[in-house]
Amino acid sequence: MTSSHAPGEPGGAVEPGGPGPEGTTKPAGPVEATGPIEPSEPAEPTGPVTPGGPGRAERPAGATLRRVLAFDDAGTLRLLLAPGGADPVVREVAFSDSGGQETGRCPGDRVVLAVGPPASSPDAAAAVYGAARQGGRAVVLRDTEGVPPAPEVLAAAGETGLALLARAPWADWGETASLLRSALALSGAEEDTGRDAPPYGDDLGALASAIAASTGGSITIEDTAFRVLAHSATLPEADGVRRSTILGGRVPEARMAELRRSGLLRALWTSRDVIRRPASDGGPERLVVAVRSGPEVLGSIWAAADGRSLSPRADDALRRAAEAAAPHLIRHRLRESGAVRRRNDALRGLLYGQGDARTHAWSLGVAADAPCAVVVAEHTGGAAPPAVRRTLDVLGLQAASYRPGAVVLREAERLLVLLPLAGGRGGELPERGSGDLRGRECEAGARAASALARELASLAPSLPGGVPVRAGAGPVVPSALRAAASCEEAGLVVRVLAERERRGGVRNPVRYAGPAEAGPALDVLRMLDAVRPLWEAGSGPVHDLVRADLATGGELVRTLGAYLDASGDVRRAAERLVLHPNTLRYRLRRARERHGVDLDDPDTRLLVTLAVRLTGDV
């Protein structure tokens, strides 16, 4: 069991942009690398403090619950209900005592293992109250597979403010206690240093030093979220951005935005060669190469010529280094797999409205009151699965770097991006004057979501072997707890784009939009979805016509659709279908004479319109 990097941060299949490359890059030029500097000594005491002692208020010993859960790679524990208030700090693991009496030792710091009734039993509510009396911050109950927790148990956890966890049926209490105690011990070791422990001991740091010697540059090794995993020693000549990147553990936001706009990130994710950026007023010469395992990007290595020239063979050295780094980054990814799975499950539940939204938001590290919007991108169909997968992988990396806090979920055929908006992380949006600031921030959020949709739709076909996607932006919702509504509408926007493309027959269709661009078509889709069960259960002449015609290719249904879309204008409908007007009139007569469907009747015309739209074959 190992530490997951930055476990408290939001994340999905891909995490938000962070450190790595820095520096402005010209569109034709290469990338900037980050250079290491020795971290300053922590200003606060990092060792454990005695509960109630003078250091307790400044820096409590132990680890946050979210951090402890990030060590659970195997899925032993499942969060059923998030704790009330801030992420609690825990310092020890205790079993519930028989009487449920307060022990007086380390109050308010425990994960309590409640041996007894499972979470599905109402009797387990007593164990929750008992855990609170024992000074618990979280309580673990036995899980019953396929059976939800009892309402009484959830109510008890909500009343006491405890986090409610379920222990997997295949694990025993001894294993669970060992897992939690090991997590606390490892977290405590990292707290003693004042920063996260290196993901793989000294191996990656030694590799960074070796690369520095062979390239003559200052090295950083980063994951796909641009977090610095290891770096070589930093020379006094290192530029300020490089120093701040190492100290902050990630590339500054402004630099990330420049790299993304310049196209350098796209080049990095799609190229297998070293990218070079000549020295300029903005900084020294820099080289970067992606670290890959087959087609999958694992991270990147950056080299900067800080106060000296890079080796003439630095390019070759960096290529060899990328191969050597791959096993290390694979181990890093495997160590993070439990945390990634937990984040993906939480993000999926939040976006699809499954389970407790507040608990999902807590697991993601997203403030429940944070305004947010969701962007959905789907491939347009007809492409081979490997090409779709590669395209969505690159789009996911691009979306993660779009803005701080962006959380990405990669599914088989589509990408979902949760964008928490500035102003809501950790508190309500500020109210000023008449309160129009909230409205302005929502408008800015809507523009940001629409801009990301446009960026993804434009980037996809420009990638080597890329496939087109349609991207829809959902509306800004006032709380992360309502992200599912934004996600649903973003999906509807994508359907509107697909429908317009099918019905419009244009050569260069628009493949991105937001709710404003989709317009009333969103309400039409909602109505069609509502009446679909009625249509499928119905019968009559229109049903007979549609079913019989679709079984033989749907020629008549397409003709009726074009005629209705043209508002009954035979000539315009014929032009769209590339038919002679008399041929179209013949088909309309056939619908009346063979199937008894008279389009002059308003009710029949409405039913045919619905039928044609519901078939999706216009």
Side-chain angles (χ1 to χ4, degrees):
M1 188 173 54
T2 58
S3 170
S4 189
H5 206 83
E9 296 190 6
V14 194
E15 290 202 49
E22 347 110 22
T24 310
T25 52
K26 313 288 190 271
V31 144
E32 302 202 13
T34 53
I37 63 173
E38 299 301 324
S40 58
E41 291 296 320
E44 300 178 88
T46 56
V49 294
T50 303
R56 181 177 177 89
E58 294 181 10
R59 184 165 187 160
T64 64
L65 180 61
R66 188 184 290 114
R67 186 175 185 83
V68 170
L69 292 178
F71 284 81
D72 177 19
D73 295 341
T76 303
L77 297 171
R78 182 164 63 96
L79 183 65
L80 301 178
L81 191 69
D87 190 9
V89 174
V90 293
R91 298 176 181 82
E92 68 173 12
V93 180
F95 283 88
S96 57
D97 58 65
S98 56
Q101 299 300 314
E102 169 122 13
T103 62
R105 181 169 171 269
C106 297
D109 66 353
R110 292 174 168 173
V111 179
V112 178
L113 307 184
V115 180
S120 57
S121 169
D123 294 339
V128 176
Y129 289 117
R133 289 193 296 271
Q134 282 186 258
R137 290 295 184 90
V139 59
V140 182
L141 300 173
R142 181 162 48 90
D143 199 3
T144 303
E145 190 169 359
V147 183
E152 295 86 348
V153 174
L154 293 174
E159 181 181 340
T160 59
L162 269 63
L164 182 62
L165 301 161
R167 187 212 75 193
W170 46 262
D172 62 33
W173 288 114
E175 292 171 342
T176 305
S178 177
L179 165 74
L180 291 168
R181 286 169 179 151
S182 298
L184 284 171
L186 287 170
S187 294
E190 293 170 6
E191 284 291 314
D192 287 343
T193 69
R195 58 186 294 145
D196 286 348
Y200 347 90
D202 294 331
D203 290 354
L204 212 56
L207 178 60
S209 298
I211 301 170
S214 60
T215 61
S218 298
I219 302 299
T220 55
I221 302 175
E222 300 153 9
D223 64 10
T224 54
F226 295 111
R227 296 173 302 190
V228 178
L229 303 179
H231 58 79
S232 63
T234 300
L235 298 176
E237 296 84 358
D239 60 308
V241 173
R242 183 178 182 87
R243 291 177 180 274
S244 63
T245 296
I246 296 300
L247 286 177
R250 59 179 61 238
V251 172
E253 177 187 345
R255 290 293 190 181
M256 283 300 304
E258 291 173 10
L259 293 175
R260 185 172 51 79
R261 286 193 302 267
S262 72
L264 189 140
L265 292 186
R266 181 184 68 177
L268 175 62
W269 303 140
T270 57
S271 173
R272 291 182 176 272
D273 206 353
V274 175
I275 302 172
R276 178 183 297 269
R277 178 181 185 271
S280 67
D281 294 339
E285 179 184 19
R286 284 173 162 86
L287 303 178
V288 59
V289 66
V291 179
R292 296 175 178 270
S293 175
E296 185 177 10
V297 179
L298 303 172
S300 55
I301 303 176
W302 302 77
D306 287 334
R308 58 186 176 182
S309 298
L310 294 172
S311 163
R313 300 188 61 81
D315 291 40
D316 292 336
L318 215 54
R319 291 187 192 95
R320 292 193 301 271
E323 296 178 3
H328 295 287
L329 268 65
I330 289 172
R331 286 202 298 273
H332 170 65
R333 179 161 293 188
L334 288 175
R335 291 183 175 193
E336 283 202 321
S337 61
V340 170
R341 173 186 50 75
R342 192 183 295 277
R343 284 194 299 267
N344 284 352
D345 290 345
L347 182 56
R348 188 175 290 108
L350 187 66
L351 296 184
Y352 289 125
Q354 300 166 350
D356 183 67
R358 188 174 296 276
T359 296
H360 294 322
W362 184 90
S363 298
L364 293 167
V366 175
D369 62 356
C372 64
V374 176
V375 175
V376 173
E378 292 184 6
H379 80 101
T380 57
V388 174
R389 185 172 58 251
R390 287 193 300 270
T391 300
L392 292 181
D393 282 344
V394 175
L395 295 185
L397 294 169
Q398 188 80 355
S401 68
Y402 184 69
R403 66 185 301 150
V407 195
V408 180
L409 179 65
R410 249 283 274 114
E411 295 186 333
E413 296 187 345
R414 69 177 189 166
L415 192 77
L416 300 96
V417 186
L418 174 67
L419 291 176
L421 304 177
R425 297 180 66 83
E428 292 287 343
L429 283 169
E431 298 283 359
R432 297 180 186 170
S434 62
D436 61 343
L437 178 62
R438 183 181 297 270
R440 291 200 299 272
E441 292 217 12
C442 286
E443 289 175 8
R447 288 195 299 272
S450 295
L452 177 58
R454 180 176 64 250
E455 185 171 313
L456 297 180
S458 303
L459 175 61
S462 71
L463 298 172
V467 300
V469 301
R470 301 183 185 97
V476 175
V477 290
S479 163
L481 305 184
R482 294 173 58 184
S486 183
C487 182
E488 179 185 11
E489 190 147 328
L492 285 175
V493 172
V494 171
R495 288 176 56 192
V496 167
L497 294 172
E499 180 77 0
R500 286 176 177 173
E501 190 170 337
R502 280 196 302 266
R503 301 172 69 217
V506 294
R507 291 186 178 181
N508 298 306
V510 175
R511 287 185 169 149
Y512 61 86
E517 293 80 14
L522 291 173
D523 289 330
V524 171
L525 281 182
R526 291 190 181 96
M527 293 177 188
L528 290 174
D529 288 343
V531 303
R532 187 179 300 277
L534 297 175
W535 162 257
E536 292 175 347
S539 61
V542 176
H543 290 76
D544 295 341
L545 181 154
V546 171
R547 290 166 182 161
D549 187 64
L550 290 179
T552 58
E555 180 183 80
L556 186 53
V557 170
R558 283 190 293 275
T559 300
L560 293 173
Y563 176 74
L564 293 169
D565 280 351
S567 302
D569 187 323
V570 171
R571 187 170 299 279
R572 187 150 55 94
E575 288 176 356
R576 175 179 162 186
L577 294 171
V578 195
L579 294 175
H580 192 281
N582 287 341
T583 303
L584 191 142
R585 292 188 182 96
Y586 165 74
R587 292 180 182 177
L588 296 177
R589 279 199 309 273
R590 190 168 51 136
R592 181 185 301 111
E593 294 169 359
R594 183 175 301 180
H595 298 282
V597 175
D598 182 7
L599 294 181
D600 291 334
D601 177 66
D603 291 338
T604 301
R605 190 163 58 248
L606 175 59
L607 188 56
V608 171
T609 301
L610 290 172
V612 170
R613 295 294 300 273
L614 287 168
T615 63
D617 190 7
V618 181

